Amino acid sequence: MTQSLQPDVKAFFDPETWTFTYVVFLGKGSPCVVIDSVLNYDPKSGRTATRSADEVIAFIKGEQLELIWILETHAHADHLTAAPYIQEQLGGKIVIGSQITHVQNVFKDIFNLSKPFSADGSQFDCLLKDGESLDFGKLSLKALYVPGHTPACMAYEVGNALFVGDTLFMPDVGTARCDFPGGSAATLYRSIQKILSYPDETMLYMCHDYPPAGRPITYCTTVGEQKKSNIHVHSGVSEADFVQMRNTRDATLEMPNLILPSIQVNIRAGHFPEPESNGKSYLKIPLNAL
């Protein structure tokens, strides 16, 4: 890492989806970015709400920050993004990794999506490739391509911090599943090694936490701690051992509760499907597809 300026990081936790949203900035009144926002969704009623996003918006306004970029680490399968709502309230541009087109094409077939949906990433304002950077004030954000959980996952480097999405969890929780369409345990292992090649003191910010009983929710660790203590991928774990563990474990996991609504919305950059003739938007439930 070459950046000398280190960011301020404010974390927000959504308890319904175990998700962390981050605001990254450099003091009061500075430009900022938002990473992995949450739109509240009730699967029983199909109703959405903005409680989690409103907390983020209130903080940004209270600190007099200027929102420049609204980033997604990937197309999440466990929560809906609030990116369009935050953009409507504060401005900024919505960003995701350029490989989102691969995910869009896979799920376009699963959901049998037709026009006006386009699997070209055009729903997002900016598509980032590996190694590309975005500036916000005196800070710069660099994209690190870390596929495996999905084929489009990105981590974001700002100063001495890496926002790793779903590649890694806290050391006592382990690593992300790889059984979604386009996922790969071998690919995830190699992506994690890219992250663990950073200096030991590098701060790693998680997208989720699922703590063992008795441990409070937490969201930040270091490369050194992951190499020492991650239960799935600590130093000395081979790729073959990791792949066997991950594939065996993934075979026992149920699909996330919100995968069907989340993916349909998130591959659209958080926008709902086009309203039908009665003015309402609808999501599809493909039977026996996953």
Side-chain angles (χ1 to χ4, degrees):
M1 294 187 175
T2 59
Q3 299 184 54
S4 58
L5 291 175
Q6 304 307 330
D8 296 316
V9 178
K10 175 66 175 179
F12 297 84
F13 182 63
D14 175 62
E16 294 174 355
T17 63
W18 307 88
T19 303
F20 291 102
T21 298
Y22 297 102
V23 178
V24 186
F25 60 109
L26 191 64
K28 190 163 186 171
S30 68
C32 72
V33 304
V34 169
I35 301 174
D36 289 335
S37 62
V38 175
L39 182 71
N40 306 107
Y41 176 77
D42 177 11
K44 296 185 293 295
S45 65
R47 296 199 66 87
T48 62
T50 61
R51 297 182 304 275
S52 293
D54 287 335
E55 289 184 34
V56 176
I57 291 168
F59 176 80
I60 290 173
K61 288 182 175 179
E63 294 297 310
Q64 301 172 23
L65 306 178
E66 178 190 5
L67 181 57
I68 307 297
W69 306 106
I70 307 166
L71 297 124
E72 306 290 343
T73 53
H74 60 292
H76 303 275
D78 45 31
H79 70 271
L80 282 67
T81 175
Y85 173 72
I86 293 174
Q87 184 180 55
E88 179 183 290
Q89 300 295 312
L90 298 174
K93 293 185 177 182
I94 301 173
V95 184
I96 202 166
S98 61
Q99 292 298 315
I100 187 61
T101 56
H102 180 84
V103 177
Q104 289 177 324
N105 275 290
V106 169
F107 282 99
K108 182 177 183 178
D109 290 340
I110 289 174
F111 290 112
N112 194 31
L113 302 178
S114 57
K115 293 181 179 179
F117 180 80
S118 297
D120 60 1
S122 58
Q123 300 85 352
F124 297 84
D125 298 316
C126 179
L127 301 180
L128 275 181
K129 296 180 181 178
D130 185 38
E132 290 187 331
S133 296
L134 296 173
D135 294 332
F136 55 110
K138 296 180 180 179
L139 292 172
S140 181
L141 172 147
K142 182 180 177 181
L144 179 69
Y145 184 43
V146 287
H149 172 60
T150 81
C153 290
M154 282 289 190
Y156 298 116
E157 174 186 343
V158 187
N160 69 340
L162 268 177
F163 299 86
V164 299
D166 284 10
T167 54
L168 285 164
F169 299 139
M170 293 299 293
D172 57 0
V173 180
T175 57
R177 65 193 298 167
C178 301
D179 59 329
F180 297 152
S184 165
T187 302
L188 180 63
Y189 181 87
R190 295 167 199 155
S191 293
I192 290 171
Q193 299 313 306
K194 289 168 65 174
I195 291 171
L196 298 185
S197 71
Y198 278 76
D200 282 357
E201 63 272 18
T202 304
M203 306 299 294
L204 302 181
Y205 289 87
M206 311 294 108
C207 185
H208 301 285
D209 190 29
Y210 309 101
R215 175 171 69 73
I217 291 288
T218 189
Y219 56 84
C220 186
T221 182
T222 65
V223 166
E225 283 299 313
Q226 292 283 14
K227 291 195 300 188
K228 177 183 177 182
S229 304
N230 188 286
I231 59 173
H232 293 165
V233 71
H234 57 78
S235 295
V237 174
S238 69
E239 180 177 323
D241 288 343
F242 177 80
V243 169
Q244 181 179 15
M245 177 281 301
R246 191 68 266 171
N247 289 342
T248 300
R249 181 175 172 80
D250 288 350
T252 70
L253 300 177
E254 296 181 349
M255 286 289 107
N257 289 336
L258 299 185
I259 185 171
L260 294 176
S262 293
I263 291 292
Q264 289 179 75
V265 170
N266 293 342
I267 61 174
R268 292 178 165 95
H271 300 287
F272 296 161
E274 288 291 316
E276 298 190 11
S277 58
N278 61 357
K280 297 186 182 299
S281 294
Y282 291 84
L283 297 173
K284 292 184 174 183
I285 303 296
L287 300 177
N288 304 313
L290 296 179

